[in-house]
Structure formats: structure tokens, C-alpha cells
Amino acid sequence: MIISLDVLSEDHVHRIYRHYPRAIYGLAFAYAAWDEYCSYLAQAEDLFITASAAGNGRLIGHPQGEPSFTPQALADWLRESVLPFEYFGDLYIAAPGADRSYLDGLRKAMGPRYEGRIFGQFGLPSGTLQPPVEAHWVEAA
């Protein structure tokens, strides 16, 4: 599944990601504060989050403000509204302008169960996702 934090129009998200293979990326959604994404995400499905970075890379989300997540706030939101019970897929964060410290903070906030399961890409344009096996993805420490 793809959740876009930086493009909040559902139609725009569908136009951006319509050519992405659904077998790899799943369905694409725009962020909505009220949505419980856990009903759409399978336990073993990879989750891709696209966002923009702000605050010198300490926050990711929408470039004009909300939503905006610190690593801890993103971890809390993922656990409360996105990840299904006993989730064992991988997390992929694509946030141009962020850096590895954000990714490492998220891994720490998610806890030891997520060691080796959180990856980020920071240098590609917003809305660009590489397949999970590509070298553009950096593993959280």
C-alpha cells in the first residue's frame, strides 16, 4: 500500500501512482486524519509512505504544514491507524529532504521488532518510488 502525506487529493494520488504495479505497491491512498488504513493493509504487505521533509529533515508530511510527523509521531500514527495486528511487512519511507537520522529515529520509535524492516529513500523527487530491491533504499540503523 502507498500512503501519500504530501499529496492530499485522492484523485491526484491515483493519477501519480496508476502506473505503479499493484502487485508490488498495492493500492494508493491520500492521507486523511480520520482514516483507519489497517483495514486495507494486509499483514505481510509492504507499506510505502511518500512525504516531503520540513524542519531540516526532522519532520515529514505535507510541504505546507499538516500532516507533519516527527519519527515518534509517525510511529504512533502507524501503530494506531495504519498497521494491522501482527503486521510483518516492511516499511518504506520516501521523503525528499529528510535524511537517515529521521529513518533511524523511526526505527527506534517502532522498537526492536522492526529491525531490518524500515527503509528510506531521500534523494529522488516526490512521488517517485523505486521497487524494494533497488539500491536507492537505505536501511534504518
Side-chain angles (χ1 to χ4, degrees):
M1 175 172 25
I2 300 169
I3 300 176
S4 175
L5 302 179
D6 53 349
V7 179
L8 301 181
S9 161
E10 200 72 38
D11 289 340
H12 193 165
V13 166
H14 289 281
R15 279 194 305 272
I16 292 171
Y17 298 110
R18 74 174 180 250
H19 297 297
Y20 281 63
R22 195 170 281 180
I24 295 172
Y25 298 100
L27 298 173
F29 295 92
Y31 171 84
W34 50 266
D35 208 340
E36 295 283 328
Y37 299 94
C38 56
S39 62
Y40 308 113
L41 183 64
Q43 287 177 306
E45 182 180 359
D46 291 336
L47 174 62
F48 297 85
I49 295 177
T50 64
S52 295
N56 295 326
R58 292 184 300 262
L59 300 170
I60 67 167
H62 193 274
Q64 270 103 38
E66 293 299 319
S68 184
F69 293 103
T70 63
Q72 182 63 56
L74 183 63
D76 293 343
W77 175 68
L78 289 171
R79 281 197 283 285
E80 293 168 11
S81 299
V82 179
L83 304 178
F85 181 72
E86 296 295 323
Y87 178 71
F88 56 93
D90 292 336
L91 302 175
Y92 293 88
I93 311 297
D99 60 24
R100 186 175 185 127
S101 64
Y102 187 92
L103 195 64
D104 295 346
L106 177 61
R107 213 292 299 147
K108 182 179 177 186
M110 292 298 292
R113 285 189 59 228
Y114 285 86
E115 187 172 335
R117 296 175 50 204
I118 299 177
F119 304 88
Q121 75 179 28
F122 311 110
L124 299 175
S126 181
T128 303
L129 292 171
Q130 298 297 318
V133 296
E134 293 291 321
H136 290 97
W137 293 103
V138 175
E139 186 177 336

